[in-house]
Amino acid sequence: MTTGGGATDFARLIAACEAFGPYCLIGGLAVNCYVEPVYTLDAAIVVERMPSPHAFSAVSELRIQFTTDERYQRFLSRAVDAIVLGTSVKVASLEDVTRGKLWAYTDSSRRLSKRKKDELDLIRLGEAHPELRLLFPEELMKQFEQ
């Protein structure tokens, strides 16, 4: 779903997610909670169950992606409170955001441009939180040694 209201649409999205049950923000907006923010219009959210398609109706520039992928379900119980675009939200923990980015980075079915964005997010996380580098694959670790 693509939504042009920015923060207002995001606030409405989060209110809807809260009404449906457990959720947490993952992806680029979640990364921005832990490192110097980079502008993104992508809102990726883990939900316990998928809301009906009729539950959302928005036209905006905000791009929203929901996942019910089993790997991400454990993130819900470890989510932390944060302020994103002026809205109080549940965000995946730092370690979980990193795990999600690693899954995306190593997924060869994703477009190269998406994997490179994931790589950059991981580098940003690794610079700000060096302890996370222990989770990184060797080819990514080597970039920190240069």
Side-chain angles (χ1 to χ4, degrees), residues 7 10-18 23-25 33 80-91:
F10 183 74
R12 289 192 346 234
L13 166 69
I14 295 304
C17 286
E18 289 173 346
Y23 79 95
C24 70
L25 192 62
C33 292
V80 299
D81 295 321
I83 302 295
V84 176
L85 301 176
T87 301
S88 179
V89 301
K90 291 290 187 185
V91 176

Side-chain angles (χ1 to χ4, degrees), residues 17-135:
C17 286
E18 289 173 346
F20 288 122
Y23 79 95
C24 70
L25 192 62
I26 59 173
L29 283 175
V31 170
N32 285 348
C33 292
Y34 297 105
V35 297
E36 176 104 16
V38 171
Y39 181 74
T40 183
L41 291 173
D42 296 333
I45 300 173
V46 177
V47 292
E48 187 173 59
R49 59 187 167 79
M50 203 52 204
S52 77
H54 305 291
F56 293 98
S57 126
V59 177
S60 174
E61 294 176 8
L62 183 65
R63 291 181 297 271
I64 303 162
Q65 176 186 1
F66 291 100
T67 184
T68 57
D69 184 323
E70 189 62 35
R71 295 179 300 177
Y72 291 91
Q73 292 301 307
R74 292 173 290 202
F75 291 12
L76 296 170
S77 65
R78 297 187 296 255
V80 299
D81 295 321
I83 302 295
V84 176
L85 301 176
T87 301
S88 179
V89 301
K90 291 290 187 185
V91 176
S93 71
L94 174 60
E95 294 79 10
D96 286 340
V97 167
T98 303
R99 281 186 195 91
K101 280 294 174 178
L102 284 165
W103 294 333
Y105 169 70
T106 58
D107 181 352
S108 60
S109 69
R110 287 170 57 86
R111 288 192 335 246
L112 177 61
S113 59
K114 290 284 194 182
R115 289 194 327 270
K116 286 297 184 181
K117 181 186 174 302
D118 297 324
E119 178 182 36
L120 178 58
D121 284 341
L122 286 165
I123 290 169
R124 293 170 54 224
L125 287 164
E127 287 176 344
H129 305 277
E131 69 279 8
L132 295 174
R133 297 179 194 174
L134 298 173
L135 302 172

